[in-house]
Amino acid sequence: MLFLQISLLVVLLGGGDSEDAFPDQILRAIGTLSLHNHSWTHSWGSGWLGELQIKRWKSNSGGFVSLRPWSNGNFSNKEMKEIEVFVQRSHNEFLHLLHNHASEWMLEYPFEVQCIVGCELHSGESQASLLGICLSGSGLLSFQNNTWVPSPEGGTRAQQVCRLFNQYTFTNQVILRNLRDTCPRYLLSALDAGKADLQRQVKPEAWLSTHPNPGPDHLLLVCHVSGFYPKPISVMWMQGEQAQQGSQLSDILPNADGTWYLRVFLDVEATETSGLSCQVTHSSLEDQDIILYLDRPNSKGWIILAVMLPLLLLLTGLACWLKKCWTHCESPPTLLPLERFQRSRDSTHT
Ligand SMILES: *[C@@H]1O[C@H](CO)[C@@H](O)[C@H](O)[C@H]1NC(C)=O
Ligand SMILES: *[C@@H]1O[C@H](CO)[C@@H](O)[C@H](O)[C@H]1NC(C)=O
Ligand SMILES: *[C@@H]1O[C@H](CO)[C@@H](O)[C@H](O)[C@H]1NC(C)=O
């Protein structure tokens, strides 16, 4: 335990200072079994470190696919293989049980079963594990302290499944060991191996678009923010300093490169757009928020100035040059001899 805490401390010290510094300390695997009929099943699986997918489960042949170079943490290939075998065997046995007891448990084909399994580390002190099974999206059982417990919404079916599952004491002990030992050990080593990737900061790009909105004279303003990492972000439509309560956030969607994408909508009257801006706050920007103005109040003035200033300088230059030339022309040296000539002629005449 002490060893675990020391390792954890190292991980935590590598992080930041706010509670957002620990968003990745959850390891989850999610499996979905789709049972079409007694002989036809399809399964999917994925493994997640925080919000980052690091593993995929090959549905036919079994086995993990690593999605990051560090996805195995410091586990050897042998240890990874043992986990794969355990997962594959559990999957097959579970499927077998579901098919065999389908009529007893009143499961009608087609149906879907989801499993979630994982572990979580809390700021250096404790760890928690989770293992739960859902039936078509609603809770069925969870595994707590070596015992399967029925979910209240699972009804008598959940109690029947629990009774059966609790008879497999040896399997349950292996599950408990994996949850309490293997999972946190893997989580810590993956956090360490993937540190550079997990703690990277990628700045967002933001742009605005406007769309006519159904309803008379309404506009839908959209602030797009893309390519940021990590996931926590704040994006708001503002009127001066005032956050617009009508702002609506889309889901935060993944980009293919592991960064995130988000849109924030604001429905406004077409005449009420002046002074609106979109403000983006993200850890990668430090304190330099991105602020995009929909219709920057002085933007026309700035454009005019930007075009006029060089022109003005050019004209001033031209004027100076002309003026210089003019003063030169007023007293050209060629006039002097004539003047002198005239003066001398005058003097000779007198
Ligand atoms: C099971 O479902 C699959 C896919 O829908 C179908 O191709 C197959 O014929 C079905 N088998 C039986 C025994 O109904
Ligand atoms: C788990 O079991 C242990 C001893 O068997 C007990 O001390 C502990 O309180 C239990 N935890 C929960 C959450 O039930
Ligand atoms: C694997 O990583 C964990 C956590 O970072 C560490 O405690 C452990 O000593 C490492 N094991 C090996 C064999 O390097």
Side-chain angles (χ1 to χ4, degrees), residues 260-303:
W260 297 96
Y261 173 63
L262 165 75
R263 283 168 303 164
V264 180
F265 306 97
L266 185 67
D267 177 82
V268 289
E269 285 186 27
T271 51
E272 304 275 302
T273 61
S274 89
L276 284 173
S277 63
C278 176
Q279 182 167 355
V280 182
T281 309
H282 186 254
S283 52
S284 67
L285 300 168
E286 289 163 7
D287 291 329
Q288 310 273 298
D289 290 359
I290 296 178
I291 301 177
L292 297 175
Y293 290 91
L294 187 68
D295 179 19
R296 196 174 188 127
N298 290 324
S299 67
K300 282 194 191 112
W302 283 110
I303 290 169

Tab-separated table of all heavy atoms in Angstrom, residues 260-303:
chain	number	residue	atom	x	y	z
A	260	TRP	N	-10.572	17.546	-29.000
A	260	TRP	CA	-12.029	17.664	-28.829
A	260	TRP	C	-12.613	18.826	-29.613
A	260	TRP	O	-11.910	19.780	-29.953
A	260	TRP	CB	-12.350	17.817	-27.345
A	260	TRP	CG	-11.945	16.633	-26.544
A	260	TRP	CD1	-10.767	16.487	-25.845
A	260	TRP	CD2	-12.662	15.409	-26.377
A	260	TRP	NE1	-10.735	15.252	-25.250
A	260	TRP	CE2	-11.873	14.564	-25.553
A	260	TRP	CE3	-13.899	14.932	-26.837
A	260	TRP	CZ2	-12.271	13.292	-25.183
A	260	TRP	CZ3	-14.300	13.666	-26.463
A	260	TRP	CH2	-13.494	12.849	-25.649
A	261	TYR	N	-13.908	18.733	-29.838
A	261	TYR	CA	-14.639	19.725	-30.629
A	261	TYR	C	-15.957	20.043	-29.935
A	261	TYR	O	-16.621	19.142	-29.416
A	261	TYR	CB	-14.893	19.138	-32.029
A	261	TYR	CG	-15.779	19.978	-32.908
A	261	TYR	CD1	-15.394	21.257	-33.290
A	261	TYR	CD2	-17.012	19.496	-33.360
A	261	TYR	CE1	-16.201	22.035	-34.095
A	261	TYR	CE2	-17.826	20.261	-34.178
A	261	TYR	CZ	-17.417	21.529	-34.538
A	261	TYR	OH	-18.218	22.299	-35.337
A	262	LEU	N	-16.307	21.333	-29.926
A	262	LEU	CA	-17.513	21.760	-29.213
A	262	LEU	C	-18.154	22.927	-29.955
A	262	LEU	O	-17.452	23.734	-30.569
A	262	LEU	CB	-17.102	22.206	-27.799
A	262	LEU	CG	-18.070	23.023	-26.954
A	262	LEU	CD1	-19.174	22.121	-26.416
A	262	LEU	CD2	-17.335	23.663	-25.790
A	263	ARG	N	-19.469	23.009	-29.913
A	263	ARG	CA	-20.159	24.181	-30.459
A	263	ARG	C	-21.041	24.776	-29.367
A	263	ARG	O	-21.604	24.043	-28.560
A	263	ARG	CB	-21.038	23.784	-31.647
A	263	ARG	CG	-20.252	23.550	-32.922
A	263	ARG	CD	-21.113	22.889	-33.971
A	263	ARG	NE	-21.643	21.633	-33.460
A	263	ARG	CZ	-22.655	20.989	-34.026
A	263	ARG	NH1	-23.251	21.467	-35.084
A	263	ARG	NH2	-23.083	19.842	-33.505
A	264	VAL	N	-21.145	26.111	-29.383
A	264	VAL	CA	-22.032	26.774	-28.425
A	264	VAL	C	-22.970	27.676	-29.216
A	264	VAL	O	-22.525	28.517	-30.003
A	264	VAL	CB	-21.237	27.572	-27.372
A	264	VAL	CG1	-22.179	28.245	-26.397
A	264	VAL	CG2	-20.305	26.646	-26.622
A	265	PHE	N	-24.253	27.479	-29.003
A	265	PHE	CA	-25.280	28.158	-29.791
A	265	PHE	C	-25.910	29.286	-28.983
A	265	PHE	O	-26.036	29.189	-27.769
A	265	PHE	CB	-26.394	27.168	-30.157
A	265	PHE	CG	-25.904	25.931	-30.844
A	265	PHE	CD1	-25.685	24.758	-30.126
A	265	PHE	CD2	-25.653	25.931	-32.213
A	265	PHE	CE1	-25.226	23.615	-30.752
A	265	PHE	CE2	-25.202	24.788	-32.854
A	265	PHE	CZ	-24.984	23.628	-32.122
A	266	LEU	N	-26.332	30.334	-29.717
A	266	LEU	CA	-27.132	31.385	-29.082
A	266	LEU	C	-28.173	31.844	-30.091
A	266	LEU	O	-27.843	32.207	-31.223
A	266	LEU	CB	-26.245	32.553	-28.645
A	266	LEU	CG	-26.953	33.664	-27.870
A	266	LEU	CD1	-27.421	33.155	-26.500
A	266	LEU	CD2	-26.046	34.869	-27.681
A	267	ASP	N	-29.415	31.790	-29.646
A	267	ASP	CA	-30.505	32.246	-30.496
A	267	ASP	C	-30.785	33.706	-30.150
A	267	ASP	O	-31.030	34.022	-28.988
A	267	ASP	CB	-31.741	31.371	-30.206
A	267	ASP	CG	-32.939	31.816	-31.000
A	267	ASP	OD1	-33.034	31.431	-32.166
A	267	ASP	OD2	-33.774	32.568	-30.447
A	268	VAL	N	-30.690	34.608	-31.163
A	268	VAL	CA	-30.914	36.033	-30.881
A	268	VAL	C	-31.828	36.643	-31.935
A	268	VAL	O	-31.973	36.096	-33.034
A	268	VAL	CB	-29.598	36.853	-30.891
A	268	VAL	CG1	-28.749	36.523	-29.699
A	268	VAL	CG2	-28.835	36.648	-32.182
A	269	GLU	N	-32.404	37.790	-31.602
A	269	GLU	CA	-33.130	38.550	-32.611
A	269	GLU	C	-32.098	39.182	-33.529
A	269	GLU	O	-31.040	39.629	-33.069
A	269	GLU	CB	-33.993	39.628	-31.943
A	269	GLU	CG	-35.219	39.014	-31.295
A	269	GLU	CD	-36.177	40.057	-30.751
A	269	GLU	OE1	-36.193	41.186	-31.293
A	269	GLU	OE2	-36.874	39.724	-29.791
A	270	ALA	N	-32.421	39.231	-34.806
A	270	ALA	CA	-31.433	39.667	-35.799
A	270	ALA	C	-30.911	41.070	-35.526
A	270	ALA	O	-29.795	41.408	-35.885
A	270	ALA	CB	-32.045	39.585	-37.188
A	271	THR	N	-31.712	41.876	-34.828
A	271	THR	CA	-31.297	43.258	-34.567
A	271	THR	C	-30.497	43.389	-33.276
A	271	THR	O	-30.035	44.464	-32.937
A	271	THR	CB	-32.538	44.151	-34.460
A	271	THR	OG1	-33.441	43.539	-33.525
A	271	THR	CG2	-33.229	44.309	-35.802
A	272	GLU	N	-30.354	42.275	-32.540
A	272	GLU	CA	-29.756	42.347	-31.204
A	272	GLU	C	-28.345	41.768	-31.152
A	272	GLU	O	-27.928	41.253	-30.131
A	272	GLU	CB	-30.621	41.552	-30.208
A	272	GLU	CG	-32.070	41.987	-30.147
A	272	GLU	CD	-32.283	43.151	-29.203
A	272	GLU	OE1	-31.956	43.007	-28.027
A	272	GLU	OE2	-32.757	44.211	-29.664
A	273	THR	N	-27.619	41.813	-32.261
A	273	THR	CA	-26.334	41.119	-32.288
A	273	THR	C	-25.150	41.998	-31.908
A	273	THR	O	-24.061	41.480	-31.727
A	273	THR	CB	-26.059	40.559	-33.697
A	273	THR	OG1	-26.023	41.662	-34.597
A	273	THR	CG2	-27.115	39.568	-34.119
A	274	SER	N	-25.383	43.301	-31.753
A	274	SER	CA	-24.204	44.150	-31.582
A	274	SER	C	-23.588	43.944	-30.204
A	274	SER	O	-24.288	43.768	-29.208
A	274	SER	CB	-24.551	45.610	-31.834
A	274	SER	OG	-24.971	46.190	-30.642
A	275	GLY	N	-22.275	43.893	-30.160
A	275	GLY	CA	-21.556	43.740	-28.908
A	275	GLY	C	-21.456	42.307	-28.413
A	275	GLY	O	-20.917	42.062	-27.337
A	276	LEU	N	-21.945	41.341	-29.187
A	276	LEU	CA	-21.871	39.947	-28.734
A	276	LEU	C	-20.500	39.371	-29.062
A	276	LEU	O	-19.923	39.647	-30.109
A	276	LEU	CB	-22.951	39.107	-29.413
A	276	LEU	CG	-24.366	39.278	-28.876
A	276	LEU	CD1	-25.355	38.532	-29.753
A	276	LEU	CD2	-24.466	38.786	-27.436
A	277	SER	N	-20.018	38.557	-28.137
A	277	SER	CA	-18.727	37.913	-28.376
A	277	SER	C	-18.765	36.506	-27.803
A	277	SER	O	-19.607	36.182	-26.974
A	277	SER	CB	-17.606	38.712	-27.718
A	277	SER	OG	-17.797	38.723	-26.320
A	278	CYS	N	-17.840	35.682	-28.282
A	278	CYS	CA	-17.725	34.325	-27.761
A	278	CYS	C	-16.393	34.247	-27.023
A	278	CYS	O	-15.355	34.613	-27.570
A	278	CYS	CB	-17.762	33.330	-28.905
A	278	CYS	SG	-17.497	31.638	-28.364
A	279	GLN	N	-16.447	33.784	-25.786
A	279	GLN	CA	-15.245	33.747	-24.963
A	279	GLN	C	-14.865	32.311	-24.641
A	279	GLN	O	-15.675	31.536	-24.150
A	279	GLN	CB	-15.501	34.519	-23.668
A	279	GLN	CG	-14.280	34.558	-22.780
A	279	GLN	CD	-14.413	35.576	-21.654
A	279	GLN	OE1	-15.388	36.322	-21.589
A	279	GLN	NE2	-13.438	35.602	-20.773
A	280	VAL	N	-13.620	31.969	-24.941
A	280	VAL	CA	-13.132	30.604	-24.746
A	280	VAL	C	-12.040	30.610	-23.684
A	280	VAL	O	-11.044	31.319	-23.823
A	280	VAL	CB	-12.546	30.035	-26.056
A	280	VAL	CG1	-12.074	28.594	-25.860
A	280	VAL	CG2	-13.551	30.131	-27.190
A	281	THR	N	-12.241	29.829	-22.625
A	281	THR	CA	-11.246	29.700	-21.565
A	281	THR	C	-10.790	28.249	-21.522
A	281	THR	O	-11.620	27.348	-21.432
A	281	THR	CB	-11.873	30.084	-20.203
A	281	THR	OG1	-12.507	31.357	-20.341
A	281	THR	CG2	-10.841	30.153	-19.115
A	282	HIS	N	-9.474	28.041	-21.621
A	282	HIS	CA	-8.959	26.662	-21.624
A	282	HIS	C	-7.565	26.657	-21.019
A	282	HIS	O	-6.815	27.638	-21.164
A	282	HIS	CB	-8.924	26.131	-23.069
A	282	HIS	CG	-8.551	24.686	-23.162
A	282	HIS	ND1	-7.319	24.261	-23.596
A	282	HIS	CD2	-9.248	23.564	-22.862
A	282	HIS	CE1	-7.283	22.933	-23.568
A	282	HIS	NE2	-8.431	22.485	-23.125
A	283	SER	N	-7.205	25.566	-20.370
A	283	SER	CA	-5.910	25.500	-19.678
A	283	SER	C	-4.734	25.772	-20.617
A	283	SER	O	-3.746	26.374	-20.210
A	283	SER	CB	-5.746	24.138	-19.015
A	283	SER	OG	-5.977	23.102	-19.934
A	284	SER	N	-4.854	25.370	-21.892
A	284	SER	CA	-3.750	25.573	-22.838
A	284	SER	C	-3.532	27.054	-23.157
A	284	SER	O	-2.469	27.447	-23.610
A	284	SER	CB	-4.024	24.825	-24.135
A	284	SER	OG	-5.131	25.405	-24.794
A	285	LEU	N	-4.553	27.869	-22.919
A	285	LEU	CA	-4.460	29.295	-23.255
A	285	LEU	C	-3.921	30.101	-22.084
A	285	LEU	O	-3.734	31.316	-22.196
A	285	LEU	CB	-5.841	29.831	-23.644
A	285	LEU	CG	-6.502	29.158	-24.838
A	285	LEU	CD1	-7.961	29.555	-24.940
A	285	LEU	CD2	-5.768	29.529	-26.115
A	286	GLU	N	-3.688	29.407	-20.961
A	286	GLU	CA	-3.319	30.056	-19.715
A	286	GLU	C	-4.331	31.171	-19.456
A	286	GLU	O	-5.508	30.872	-19.412
A	286	GLU	CB	-1.858	30.504	-19.766
A	286	GLU	CG	-1.002	29.241	-19.706
A	286	GLU	CD	0.427	29.387	-20.134
A	286	GLU	OE1	0.883	30.504	-20.379
A	286	GLU	OE2	1.096	28.354	-20.209
A	287	ASP	N	-3.922	32.416	-19.291
A	287	ASP	CA	-4.945	33.431	-19.003
A	287	ASP	C	-5.363	34.217	-20.239
A	287	ASP	O	-6.089	35.192	-20.146
A	287	ASP	CB	-4.455	34.380	-17.914
A	287	ASP	CG	-4.361	33.647	-16.577
A	287	ASP	OD1	-5.163	32.715	-16.378
A	287	ASP	OD2	-3.495	33.994	-15.767
A	288	GLN	N	-4.868	33.798	-21.403
A	288	GLN	CA	-5.154	34.537	-22.631
A	288	GLN	C	-6.398	33.962	-23.316
A	288	GLN	O	-6.272	33.259	-24.318
A	288	GLN	CB	-3.961	34.434	-23.592
A	288	GLN	CG	-2.631	34.765	-22.944
A	288	GLN	CD	-2.342	36.240	-22.996
A	288	GLN	OE1	-2.227	36.800	-24.071
A	288	GLN	NE2	-2.245	36.875	-21.840
A	289	ASP	N	-7.561	34.249	-22.757
A	289	ASP	CA	-8.801	33.743	-23.345
A	289	ASP	C	-8.917	34.154	-24.811
A	289	ASP	O	-8.449	35.230	-25.190
A	289	ASP	CB	-10.018	34.330	-22.606
A	289	ASP	CG	-10.152	33.759	-21.210
A	289	ASP	OD1	-9.315	32.912	-20.844
A	289	ASP	OD2	-11.084	34.169	-20.504
A	290	ILE	N	-9.544	33.308	-25.595
A	290	ILE	CA	-9.874	33.699	-26.969
A	290	ILE	C	-11.201	34.452	-26.911
A	290	ILE	O	-12.160	33.957	-26.308
A	290	ILE	CB	-10.020	32.460	-27.879
A	290	ILE	CG1	-8.690	31.718	-28.006
A	290	ILE	CG2	-10.561	32.849	-29.250
A	290	ILE	CD1	-8.768	30.458	-28.852
A	291	ILE	N	-11.253	35.647	-27.483
A	291	ILE	CA	-12.521	36.389	-27.532
A	291	ILE	C	-12.793	36.767	-28.979
A	291	ILE	O	-11.988	37.467	-29.607
A	291	ILE	CB	-12.475	37.650	-26.644
A	291	ILE	CG1	-12.189	37.241	-25.188
A	291	ILE	CG2	-13.798	38.408	-26.726
A	291	ILE	CD1	-12.040	38.403	-24.233
A	292	LEU	N	-13.881	36.260	-29.516
A	292	LEU	CA	-14.243	36.549	-30.902
A	292	LEU	C	-15.479	37.429	-30.901
A	292	LEU	O	-16.488	37.075	-30.278
A	292	LEU	CB	-14.557	35.253	-31.652
A	292	LEU	CG	-13.419	34.248	-31.813
A	292	LEU	CD1	-13.948	32.988	-32.478
A	292	LEU	CD2	-12.296	34.853	-32.633
A	293	TYR	N	-15.400	38.594	-31.570
A	293	TYR	CA	-16.558	39.492	-31.638
A	293	TYR	C	-17.359	39.205	-32.883
A	293	TYR	O	-16.793	39.044	-33.964
A	293	TYR	CB	-16.099	40.948	-31.635
A	293	TYR	CG	-15.536	41.355	-30.309
A	293	TYR	CD1	-14.173	41.236	-30.044
A	293	TYR	CD2	-16.376	41.825	-29.303
A	293	TYR	CE1	-13.656	41.582	-28.810
A	293	TYR	CE2	-15.867	42.182	-28.074
A	293	TYR	CZ	-14.511	42.059	-27.828
A	293	TYR	OH	-14.008	42.389	-26.608
A	294	LEU	N	-18.650	39.134	-32.706
A	294	LEU	CA	-19.527	38.879	-33.835
A	294	LEU	C	-19.498	40.080	-34.763
A	294	LEU	O	-19.381	39.960	-35.962
A	294	LEU	CB	-20.942	38.637	-33.328
A	294	LEU	CG	-21.920	38.189	-34.387
A	294	LEU	CD1	-21.555	36.795	-34.848
A	294	LEU	CD2	-23.330	38.229	-33.851
A	295	ASP	N	-19.599	41.268	-34.154
A	295	ASP	CA	-19.634	42.486	-34.941
A	295	ASP	C	-18.873	43.513	-34.140
A	295	ASP	O	-19.450	44.285	-33.399
A	295	ASP	CB	-21.094	42.930	-35.121
A	295	ASP	CG	-21.151	44.208	-35.921
A	295	ASP	OD1	-20.159	44.519	-36.600
A	295	ASP	OD2	-22.191	44.896	-35.841
A	296	ARG	N	-17.565	43.460	-34.241
A	296	ARG	CA	-16.737	44.324	-33.404
A	296	ARG	C	-17.166	45.768	-33.613
A	296	ARG	O	-17.134	46.269	-34.729
A	296	ARG	CB	-15.270	44.146	-33.785
A	296	ARG	CG	-14.379	44.691	-32.729
A	296	ARG	CD	-12.930	44.411	-32.995
A	296	ARG	NE	-12.227	44.831	-31.792
A	296	ARG	CZ	-11.399	44.073	-31.115
A	296	ARG	NH1	-11.149	42.875	-31.525
A	296	ARG	NH2	-10.822	44.521	-30.031
A	297	PRO	N	-17.580	46.464	-32.532
A	297	PRO	CA	-18.194	47.779	-32.696
A	297	PRO	C	-17.347	48.723	-33.540
A	297	PRO	O	-17.856	49.426	-34.396
A	297	PRO	CB	-18.303	48.303	-31.266
A	297	PRO	CG	-18.201	47.105	-30.389
A	297	PRO	CD	-17.468	46.050	-31.137
A	298	ASN	N	-16.027	48.751	-33.343
A	298	ASN	CA	-15.191	49.707	-34.054
A	298	ASN	C	-14.469	49.089	-35.236
A	298	ASN	O	-13.550	49.674	-35.770
A	298	ASN	CB	-14.159	50.297	-33.096
A	298	ASN	CG	-14.832	51.216	-32.098
A	298	ASN	OD1	-15.783	51.900	-32.454
A	298	ASN	ND2	-14.376	51.195	-30.873
A	299	SER	N	-14.886	47.887	-35.613
A	299	SER	CA	-14.080	47.191	-36.613
A	299	SER	C	-14.052	47.959	-37.938
A	299	SER	O	-13.021	48.020	-38.586
A	299	SER	CB	-14.611	45.782	-36.837
A	299	SER	OG	-15.876	45.844	-37.426
A	300	LYS	N	-15.170	48.606	-38.286
A	300	LYS	CA	-15.184	49.359	-39.548
A	300	LYS	C	-14.206	50.511	-39.474
A	300	LYS	O	-13.445	50.772	-40.395
A	300	LYS	CB	-16.592	49.868	-39.845
A	300	LYS	CG	-17.468	48.761	-40.402
A	300	LYS	CD	-18.738	49.288	-41.021
A	300	LYS	CE	-19.687	48.154	-41.313
A	300	LYS	NZ	-20.889	48.177	-40.483
A	301	GLY	N	-14.204	51.195	-38.321
A	301	GLY	CA	-13.277	52.297	-38.098
A	301	GLY	C	-11.839	51.847	-38.254
A	301	GLY	O	-11.047	52.513	-38.910
A	302	TRP	N	-11.529	50.660	-37.681
A	302	TRP	CA	-10.160	50.148	-37.750
A	302	TRP	C	-9.776	49.838	-39.190
A	302	TRP	O	-8.654	50.107	-39.598
A	302	TRP	CB	-10.001	48.892	-36.899
A	302	TRP	CG	-9.893	49.205	-35.437
A	302	TRP	CD1	-10.818	48.951	-34.478
A	302	TRP	CD2	-8.797	49.845	-34.785
A	302	TRP	NE1	-10.370	49.398	-33.268
A	302	TRP	CE2	-9.132	49.953	-33.425
A	302	TRP	CE3	-7.567	50.354	-35.227
A	302	TRP	CZ2	-8.289	50.533	-32.501
A	302	TRP	CZ3	-6.725	50.918	-34.306
A	302	TRP	CH2	-7.086	51.011	-32.949
A	303	ILE	N	-10.722	49.278	-39.935
A	303	ILE	CA	-10.419	48.934	-41.326
A	303	ILE	C	-10.132	50.216	-42.106
A	303	ILE	O	-9.146	50.318	-42.830
A	303	ILE	CB	-11.583	48.151	-41.981
A	303	ILE	CG1	-11.651	46.749	-41.365
A	303	ILE	CG2	-11.423	48.064	-43.490
A	303	ILE	CD1	-12.881	45.973	-41.715
